[in-house]
Amino acid sequence: MTHKSDQTIIQTTHNTARFFTEHRHVAWVALVLTVLWGIFGYFGMPQRKDPDIPVRAALAMCYWPGVGTEKIERLVTQRIEETIAENIWVKRIESTTRVGLAFAVVLLDEGAEDVGKEFDDIKMRLDGIKDLPEGAGPIVFIKDFGTTAALMLTVASPPASELETELRAKSVRGAIEAAREGLPADEAQRRLALVYCYPPSVSPAGITAMFTQFADKARDDGMLTNQRLIEGAGFIGMDATPRGDADSVQAYGENYVETHLRRAEFHPDVWAPALITDPSQTLDVLKKVAGDRYTYRQLDDFTDLIRRTLQTVPEVSKVDRVGVLEERIYLAYSQERLASYGVSPAQLQRVISARNSPLPGGMLEVSGRNVTIAPTGEFTGEQEIGDVIVGASASGLPLYLRDVVDIDRSYDSPPKYLNSYTRRGPDGQWQRTRAITLSVQMRPGRNIGEFGRAVDEALAGVKSRLPEDLVYARTSDQPLQVEENIHLFLSSLYEAIILVVLVSLIGFWEWRSAVLMSLSIPLTLAMTYGMMYMVGIDLQQISIASLIIALGLLVDDPVVAGDAIKRELSTGHKSVIAAWLGPTKLATAIMYATVTNIVAYLPFLLLSGDTGRFLYSMPVVLTCSLVSSRLVSMTFIPLLGYYLLRAPRKPA
C-alpha cells in the first residue's frame, strides 16, 4: 500500500485491524474469549511423554520340548513363517530355531495404518494351525511391545528390623548353649555353630532336607564332626567340632554349593548362613547376615492389593507386575517308601488327577423342587492334597497321600526371575532388598497430569492398609518427566518475555512498547493452544520443543506491527487511526514473512513412515504459532496499541 496515500487508505480500507480498533468493546470480548480458548485448549490437550507411534514388531513362539533344531525348523518354524507371510503388510520375518523352541519376529510395513488389526489377522491365521506335530505348541503370539508404562512403581522390602534380629538371636543363642551343655570347657570353645535363618512363613521341609545333605557330607569328609542338630522357630543348624577355623568351614560350604548344588536352588527368602563360635556374639553375627523383613510371598500379597486398587482408577488401562515368584506344590517321596506301601509314582499321578478335576454340575428334583448340584472336586490347599486316599495299608486302613510323600508349598525352583531394589540406607550404606515392580499404563487420550494425580490418590488410600515400613520407589515416572518438560517450556517462556521487554526497552527506549511486546507473547500462545487442541495435537516432548522454537518467531509480527503504529503516531495521526493504519501498510510484508517461515518447516510433513509420525507435531505446532502471531498482529496488537502507545515527543 505504499503507492496509496494515507487519506485513500483511510477512506477505502476495512480490515480486521480497523474493526478491532474502532469496535473496541467487541475486540475486548474477543480477547477474553481467546484467552479462555487457550486455557481450555492447554488443559484439554492430552499430555504424554512421547508421540503415539505404533510399534510394528511382534513375536511368535512355539515350544517343542526335547526336539532337535533341524526337525523343529522343518516341521514348525517353516510352517509359522509361511502362515505369517500370508498377511500382505508383512515386511520382514526373522526366525530363529533352538533346541525345543522356535520363534519368529514379524515386522510390518510402515504403510500399514491399523497395526493392531494386522496383528490380529496374523494371530488368527496362527491359531488356525491345527496340525502341528504331537507335543509341539501352542503357538504364542506377543504383540504388545508398543505398550509403554506411564509409571513403574517398585515396592521393596526393608531389611529385617533390629527387634526381629534380637528375638531370633536370643532363640539361636539358647539353642546353641543347650547343644553345648555338658561338654568340657575346652571342647565347647572349639565348637562352631552353623545356622540358617528363614521367615516363619517358609515351610522348613525343603530347607531341612538340603541342610541334612550338607551335614552328612561334612561329617563324611571330616570337616564337621560330633554334630548336634539345633533348630527352632525360623532357624535350623548344627553345632559341631570343625576341622580348622570358621574361614575354612565357609570355604568348604561355598565349594559344596558349587559342586553339589546350584545357587538358584536356594530358597530366596532364606538368610545367609551364620557361623557362630561364641554364643555371646550371636546377635552381632546375625546382624551381618540378616535378610529382608518381608518374603516374596508377602510382597506378592501387598502388590496384588495395590494392583487391584490401581485398576479401579479411570485413567489406568493395565497394571502388570514384574518379580512375582510363582508357587508350586511339591511332593517329595522316595522309591523305598512308596514300595513299602505298594504304591507306584504313576499311581500317585492318576489319583491326584482324578481328584483334582472340575466336574460339571447339574440339577436334581427333590420333592418338587430343583436342587443345584455343584461338585467340589478341586483342591483349595495343601491340606486337601494330603487327605487324598491313595490305597489301603496291610491292616485295611485308608492310606493317605500325606503318609507316603512330604507335601511342601514353595516357589518355582529355580526361580525364573528375581527382582531386587538397591538404594542407599539411612547409614549411607547401599542396601539391596527383594522387590516387585508394578508397571502402570495410561489409557490413550488421557492427560498424564491427571493420571499422576489419580494414581497418587489411589496409592495414598491403599498405603493405610499396608505395612508402614514398605519401600516405594518410582523407577520410571512419566508424569514427573512431562511436568519437567512443561516446566522447561514455561521457563523458556518467562525468559523470552523478559528478553523481549529488555530488548524493547533498549530499542524503543520506552516502557509502553516493551509492555505491548510482552503482552503479545501470551496472547499468541493462547491462540496457539486453541488451534493445537482443534487439530488434535497432544502435549508431548516434540510439541513442547516446537513451542520453545516458536518463541523466537512469534514475536516478529507483533514487533513489526507495534513499530508501524509508532511511526504513524509520529506523523500526526490520531491513536484510533494510527493503531490500525500502521499494521495495514505492512500487512502484505507481514503475511509473506509469515508464509515464508511456515513453508520452511512444512517439508517435515513429507517425511514418511514412523519418522514422519514422530515429527508430525513439529511443523503443525510451528504453523499454528506463526498463524496465531499473524492474527494477533492484525487484531489485538492494534487494540492494545491504541491504549498503550503514544506519539514520541518532538525535541524542543
Side-chain angles (χ1 to χ4, degrees):
M1 295 186 177
T2 55
H3 62 283
K4 296 181 180 180
S5 64
D6 291 352
Q7 192 63 29
T8 303
I9 297 175
I10 294 173
Q11 293 177 354
T12 60
T13 301
H14 299 279
N15 57 9
T16 56
R18 185 169 186 173
F19 180 85
F20 271 66
T21 304
E22 295 179 350
H23 301 81
R24 290 181 292 278
H25 56 289
V26 178
W28 279 111
V29 172
L31 188 147
V32 173
L33 291 177
T34 299
V35 173
L36 294 177
W37 184 37
I39 294 174
F40 173 78
Y42 177 80
F43 289 102
M45 282 185 293
Q47 296 181 8
R48 52 189 302 130
K49 182 177 181 292
D50 298 307
D52 187 14
I53 304 298
V55 175
R56 304 178 181 278
L59 175 66
M61 296 190 304
C62 183
Y63 290 95
W64 195 0
V67 181
T69 56
E70 294 183 358
K71 190 173 182 179
I72 295 179
E73 173 72 22
R74 185 177 67 257
L75 299 179
V76 177
T77 308
Q78 292 182 4
R79 185 67 185 278
I80 292 176
E81 291 176 345
E82 294 171 356
T83 304
I84 294 175
E86 294 176 0
N87 186 282
I88 61 175
W89 291 108
V90 173
K91 179 181 180 181
R92 187 169 68 248
I93 304 174
E94 298 178 356
S95 63
T96 304
T97 305
R98 296 284 186 267
V99 175
L101 173 65
F103 59 91
V105 178
V106 187
L107 183 64
L108 295 182
D109 189 86
E110 292 187 352
E113 295 293 336
D114 193 344
V115 176
K117 177 182 177 182
E118 304 305 328
F119 281 150
D120 290 340
D121 176 74
I122 295 175
K123 185 179 186 306
M124 182 181 64
R125 296 176 186 272
L126 291 175
D127 292 341
I129 302 178
K130 302 298 184 181
D131 55 349
L132 288 175
E134 183 178 357
I139 300 175
V140 180
F141 189 69
I142 305 173
K143 62 176 182 177
D144 56 351
F145 295 110
T147 56
T148 57
L151 173 67
M152 294 188 68
L153 176 68
T154 297
V155 180
S157 168
S161 64
E162 293 185 3
L163 178 60
E164 179 183 356
T165 306
E166 291 175 0
L167 294 176
R168 194 180 295 270
K170 183 178 180 180
S171 300
V172 173
R173 179 177 179 176
I176 296 175
E177 292 176 346
R180 297 182 183 181
E181 186 177 356
L183 295 175
D186 57 342
E187 173 67 16
Q189 292 179 356
R190 290 189 298 108
R191 292 180 71 83
L192 174 70
L194 174 63
V195 180
Y196 276 92
C197 297
Y198 53 87
S201 60
V202 175
S203 173
I207 300 175
T208 302
M210 188 175 297
F211 183 81
T212 302
Q213 294 176 5
F214 170 75
D216 294 341
K217 177 65 176 175
R219 183 186 62 249
D220 296 340
D221 293 342
M223 177 56 66
L224 295 172
T225 57
N226 301 325
Q227 299 177 0
R228 293 186 178 183
L229 182 66
I230 56 176
E231 59 181 336
F235 71 91
I236 185 173
M238 64 176 172
D239 187 65
T241 302
R243 187 183 64 190
D245 55 6
D247 293 336
S248 301
V249 176
Q250 184 174 0
Y252 176 84
E254 292 178 353
N255 180 69
Y256 177 83
V257 171
E258 296 294 336
T259 56
H260 294 77
L261 299 174
R262 291 184 299 175
R263 294 190 181 274
E265 293 181 352
F266 279 87
H267 199 289
D269 294 333
V270 175
W271 293 11
L275 299 175
I276 305 170
T277 54
D278 186 357
S280 63
Q281 298 178 352
T282 302
L283 178 58
D284 296 333
V285 175
L286 289 186
K287 284 183 177 180
K288 296 179 181 179
V289 301
D292 302 337
R293 182 171 185 179
Y294 301 114
T295 65
Y296 275 108
R297 182 181 301 171
Q298 291 174 307
L299 290 178
D300 183 6
D301 296 336
F302 298 154
T303 55
D304 182 64
L305 176 60
I306 297 175
R307 178 184 62 84
R308 288 186 283 108
T309 302
L310 292 179
Q311 285 180 335
T312 62
V313 177
E315 289 79 6
V316 174
S317 63
K318 184 179 179 183
V319 181
D320 296 323
R321 292 186 298 163
V322 178
V324 177
L325 297 187
E326 298 293 338
E327 292 185 307
R328 297 287 185 269
I329 303 296
Y330 293 94
L331 306 181
Y333 62 88
S334 65
Q335 295 287 356
E336 294 80 3
R337 186 178 179 184
L338 291 181
S340 65
Y341 287 102
V343 179
S344 65
Q347 183 179 350
L348 295 179
Q349 183 177 0
R350 290 195 301 269
V351 171
I352 294 175
S353 300
R355 172 66 169 78
N356 194 36
S357 299
L359 300 175
M363 300 292 294
L364 183 64
E365 185 176 350
V366 179
S367 300
R369 296 183 179 181
N370 293 330
V371 179
T372 303
I373 305 298
T376 57
E378 294 185 275
F379 295 131
T380 59
E382 304 96 305
Q383 181 66 32
E384 294 186 6
I385 298 178
D387 293 339
V388 173
I389 299 177
V390 297
S393 63
S395 60
L397 296 176
L399 182 64
Y400 295 98
L401 184 62
R402 60 175 177 268
D403 298 328
V404 296
V405 301
D406 295 327
I407 303 174
D408 181 30
R409 177 177 180 175
S410 184
Y411 306 122
D412 276 340
S413 181
K416 299 178 182 178
Y417 182 83
L418 290 177
N419 190 31
S420 60
Y421 177 63
T422 304
R423 66 191 183 281
R424 192 181 295 275
D427 57 353
Q429 300 295 324
W430 289 100
Q431 298 177 349
R432 186 172 184 268
T433 56
R434 61 180 66 101
I436 293 178
T437 299
L438 294 96
S439 173
V440 187
Q441 300 176 17
M442 183 180 69
R443 291 189 185 277
R446 295 300 182 113
N447 188 307
I448 199 166
E450 297 177 357
F451 165 84
R453 288 188 291 272
V455 169
D456 290 340
E457 293 177 0
L459 290 177
V462 75
K463 284 181 180 179
S464 61
R465 293 182 285 169
L466 296 173
E468 295 181 356
D469 55 353
L470 274 181
V471 179
Y472 302 92
R474 301 197 175 197
T475 47
S476 178
D477 192 352
Q478 286 195 8
L480 178 60
Q481 296 170 4
V482 172
E483 182 181 351
E484 291 175 349
N485 289 338
I486 295 176
H487 177 72
L488 174 62
F489 167 69
L490 293 178
S491 300
S492 302
L493 173 61
Y494 301 148
E495 293 172 359
I497 294 176
I498 293 173
L499 289 175
V500 167
V501 172
L502 292 177
V503 172
S504 299
L505 286 173
I506 296 173
F508 298 111
W509 204 245
E510 64 167 343
W511 65 270
R512 296 179 179 273
S513 298
V515 172
L516 179 63
M517 295 304 102
S518 63
L519 291 176
S520 67
I521 296 178
L523 286 174
T524 304
L525 285 177
M527 190 176 294
T528 302
Y529 292 148
M531 290 185 178
M532 290 172 58
Y533 178 78
M534 287 184 60
V535 298
I537 298 296
D538 51 3
L539 204 60
Q540 25 79 11
Q541 61 176 346
I542 299 301
S543 59
I544 291 175
S546 303
L547 288 171
I548 294 175
I549 296 174
L551 289 177
L553 301 174
L554 54 82
V555 296
D556 292 348
D557 291 354
V559 167
V560 174
D563 184 63
I565 295 173
K566 288 189 61 179
R567 186 177 63 250
E568 296 302 325
L569 288 172
S570 64
T571 60
H573 288 295
K574 297 180 180 180
S575 297
V576 71
I577 295 177
W580 66 266
L581 183 59
T584 299
K585 287 184 176 181
L586 299 177
T588 303
I590 294 175
M591 182 185 67
Y592 283 126
T594 302
V595 172
T596 301
N597 288 329
I598 292 174
V599 171
Y601 290 97
L602 286 181
F604 282 102
L605 293 176
L606 301 179
L607 295 174
S608 60
D610 293 337
T611 303
R613 292 184 178 89
F614 187 80
L615 297 175
Y616 170 78
S617 60
M618 176 180 287
V620 175
V621 171
L622 288 171
T623 299
C624 291
S625 63
L626 292 172
V627 171
S628 299
S629 176
R630 161 69 176 174
L631 294 176
V632 168
S633 65
M634 297 300 295
T635 54
F636 301 130
I637 293 298
L639 171 66
L640 298 175
Y642 166 79
Y643 290 101
L644 290 174
L645 298 182
R646 296 292 183 267
R649 295 180 180 179
K650 297 181 179 180

